[in-house]
Each structure stands twice: as C-alpha cells, then as structure tokens.
C-alpha cells in the first residue's frame, strides 16, 4: 500500500513536566492510519535538555535530544483515527511514570499531489 502524507497540528505535548504545542508531520498507510509515523521538532531554549525531535509511531514514541535518545511505549493501546486522541507514553520498564503525554492529537491525511 502506498504511503500517504499526514499531519497533526496544535497537539499539546508534555515532556518531563514541560508543556508545549507542537505540529507533527509524517506518513501513514491511508484511511486506517496504520503504519503511522509522525515527527515534530522540539523548541530549543538553549538548555541541555532543549531541542531535538519527538517521533510518534503506531504503538510508541522516540524522543531524541542532545543528551540522548529514549524509546517509549504507549501506556494503553492507541486507536489512531481522524478523531483527537490523548496518549501517555512510558518507559517500558517503568509503566507507572509518564514521560511524554500528548493531548488533542488529531491526525489528518493530506491531499494527494501528482
């Protein structure tokens, strides 16, 4: 199946107690939003944990910052569709502690271009 471009604008993201609004772009496998992969740039305020990227995929997330990379899993199964979703991402070995929270993520397919 051909990949489609997707985007999710204005999602509220909380990473390590710091809340920000991010715009995600990426790709997915059409209407069912399977094979989802969305990325957003983190703002860089000059601190050691500032800047980097957040990548969301079908069942997890990866946060890459200057001090390293962290792979996270969704606390509960996520049903990605065109409705807004809220999802908490946790460390696989510590599911009680939310590292990344995403609120109001609404994924939209972009129109196909020729």
């Amino acid at each position: 199946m051909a990949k489609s471009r997707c985007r999710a604008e204005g999602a509220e993201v909380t990473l390590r107690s710091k809340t920000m609004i991010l715009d995600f772009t990426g790709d997915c496998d059409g209407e069912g939003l399977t094979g989802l992969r969305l990325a957003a740039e983190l703002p860089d305020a000059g601190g050691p944990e500032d800047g980097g990227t957040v990548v969301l995929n079908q069942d997890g997330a990866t946060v890459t910052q200057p001090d390293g990379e962290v792979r996270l899993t969704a606390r509960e199964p996520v049903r990605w569709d065109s409705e807004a979703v809220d999802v908490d991402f946790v460390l696989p070995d510590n599911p009680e502690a939310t590292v990344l929270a995403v609120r109001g993520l609404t994924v939209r397919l972009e129109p196909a271009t020729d």
Side-chain angles (χ1 to χ4, degrees):
M1 173 178 275
K3 291 278 187 187
S4 298
R5 294 292 302 162
C6 297
R7 71 174 38 254
E9 297 176 332
E12 181 181 289
V13 176
T14 303
L15 175 64
R16 297 185 193 116
S17 302
K18 184 177 181 180
T19 301
M20 60 206 92
I21 303 298
L22 298 179
D23 295 332
F24 289 86
T25 58
D27 52 48
C28 57
D29 292 335
E31 292 295 329
L33 299 180
T34 58
L36 182 72
R37 184 184 182 285
L38 295 172
E41 296 293 322
L42 293 167
D44 187 353
E49 290 186 345
D50 291 338
T53 58
V54 174
V55 177
L56 307 178
N57 59 43
Q58 203 63 33
D59 56 2
T62 302
V63 177
T64 305
Q65 292 187 287
D67 61 347
E69 182 176 278
V70 177
R71 294 186 189 277
L72 306 166
T73 58
R75 177 173 282 143
E76 296 177 7
V78 182
R79 186 175 192 303
W80 299 104
D81 54 27
S82 60
E83 299 296 319
V85 297
D86 297 339
V87 59
D88 292 330
F89 294 97
V90 299
L91 293 168
D93 58 348
N94 188 6
E96 293 81 33
T98 300
V99 175
L100 175 70
V102 180
R103 303 285 176 255
L105 185 78
T106 304
V107 181
R108 301 278 185 235
L109 288 173
E110 291 184 350
T113 58
D114 294 328

